[in-house]
Amino acid sequence: MTTLAELQRNFIRDCLSGKHKNTNVLLAKDIDTSHISASGLLGIYQGSSIGNIIQAMKLTYPVIEKLVGEDFFRACCKEFISAHWPKSANMDDYGEEFADFLADFEPAKPLIYLKDVAQLEWLFHLSSLASDSSPTDWTHLSTVKADDALQVKFLLAPFVQLIRSSFPIDIIWEMNQPNTTVNKEIDLTHNIDKQTLLIVFRSGLKTEIMTVTEGEFALLSSFNHQQSLAIAIETIAKIESGISIDDVIKKFIELNIISSFKVE
Amino acid sequence: MSVISGVGLGLRHRHFQEFITDKPDVSWLEIHTENFFSKDSTAAKYLARIRQDYPISAHCVGLSLGSAANACPVRAQHLQNIKATVDWLQPSLISDHLSWSASDKGHYLPDLLPIPYTEEAFDVVVKNINQVQDVLQKQILIENPSSYLSYLNSPIPEWDFLSMLVKETDCALLLDVNNIYVSAHNHGFDAQMYLENIPITAVQEIHLAGYSIDSIEGVDVYIDTHGHEIYDGVWQLYEKAIERFGAIPTLIEWDTDVPELAILLDEKRKAEAIIAKVSVSKAENKQSA
């Protein structure tokens, strides 16, 4: 007699193996197939599982769905799922590899900007789920000794994400939001010289996307890598002359994008 | 923690803002616990506001209570996530299904898969329910599943299996009337007889939802999709359930192609009308007796 553990192993193996002939269904010997074949019955559960995963993907990648249309999105997801079954019961963890998948998915290849848009949506998803930062008493910053000032390390809030793209993914994202009023002509050719630099962060109940300059992006990237103020200044000087580091830091502290600091 | 009563709605992302700004007249709301694992997430922040105005019930879909796997990392981690969420949310009720989703090989299928109703499976489910109740330090409600296949070795009727679980673990039941209706069609049992075999005091919550019909190899199979209005047959069975179990807190579930709130509120009013009708009828019968 089949044990429960064996039965469940067979059930999963059958479902993950995709379409199969009746003779190959491991579960066939344990289920009633007098009205519907074993593969027909398992197909219901396969379809339902895939449908549930697609529901989760629709929540994480609504812009991709809007860009490619519902049918194409479902087809993409089905291909993606067949190679990436969930490993966790927490569906928030699911779908990280979708951007890379889209870049390699033959029918989607003409839409060369999809990968970057999917990456932006994944970072938006991560930002929405991330922890809050702990409150910081910024008055302590004024107590840092002058000699140590350049060794200060500013830290970004856990919900901050940075992304760079050669496509105007911020405008694509905006144009595909529900009830959007944005409608622009955009250049979708790959342009390495025209970079879109974005930060994703949270403000109150909202997750937001903001365009930043090369200097600001470099500064935040430097802080993201836990580099000292001295190294950050050196990096930015090479990229954007005339930038006021004080003003930029102040702006990002006010937005709670820079959330704390430490001196080592 | 508030006691819930009346008819509630499943809280879905598209309606968050309406529950904050319009405060529609709904007795309570049910969440999918798995959508709020991150306490600081934007979704959890919306929920924190909404729960100031509405009692909340936590419905889980991933505890995999029917899994035979002894040391399943998927289940263990999931239970810890559920505990963390329940600890901050303090829901009025906590529930999951009589089903499984995770195997001992670390695989997970995001669906509510059926178990055979055997002595072996009973022992497994009892052990898993006890573990969950021990960790959460709370009673949980077990929901009857909808199913599309029957195991050849499944000698215990589902209603008996559920009744035995209540007796053995002190869990309560979440009776999904749509699931009974769907499974009764798919497996050919009498839905009303199912209701009559469920212990009256065990039921603490009822679910109502819509199903779809798929033709598989020429056979009509009812599928529990939660994406439609509730069918007449389910409403009729619901009336029988209210007659038997009383005015149990009832949830309108709608998970796929979630419609505008007005449609859910219409379904809620239909359920309220049935509760009122049964209540009047019971009062009249009492008087005439």
Side-chain angles (χ1 to χ4, degrees), chain A residues 184-196:
Chain A
K184 292 180 185 170
E185 284 280 318
I186 47 175
D187 179 8
L188 292 175
T189 51
H190 187 255
N191 187 349
I192 198 87
D193 298 325
K194 203 175 171 192
Q195 296 277 295
T196 300

Side-chain angles (χ1 to χ4, degrees), chain A residues 137-182:
Chain A
D137 183 353
W138 288 102
T139 58
H140 288 162
L141 191 57
S142 60
T143 65
V144 175
K145 290 178 195 161
D147 289 352
D148 295 334
L150 288 176
Q151 296 315 310
V152 168
K153 289 181 177 177
F154 288 99
L155 306 172
L156 304 187
F159 48 74
V160 175
Q161 300 284 347
L162 306 167
I163 180 169
R164 166 193 293 272
S165 172
S166 303
F167 301 101
I169 54 174
D170 53 334
I171 301 170
I172 296 172
W173 191 87
E174 246 185 288
M175 284 173 69
N176 289 283
Q177 294 306 300
N179 309 318
T180 186
T181 52
V182 180

Side-chain angles (χ1 to χ4, degrees), chain B residues 157 159 179-198 237 240:
Chain B
W159 46 88
N179 286 354
I180 296 174
Y181 191 83
V182 162
S183 291
H185 169 85
N186 293 341
H187 303 306
F189 61 74
D190 179 349
Q192 201 169 321
M193 178 270 301
Y194 189 117
L195 288 183
E196 286 161 7
N197 281 283
I198 295 292
L237 191 61
K240 300 284 179 202

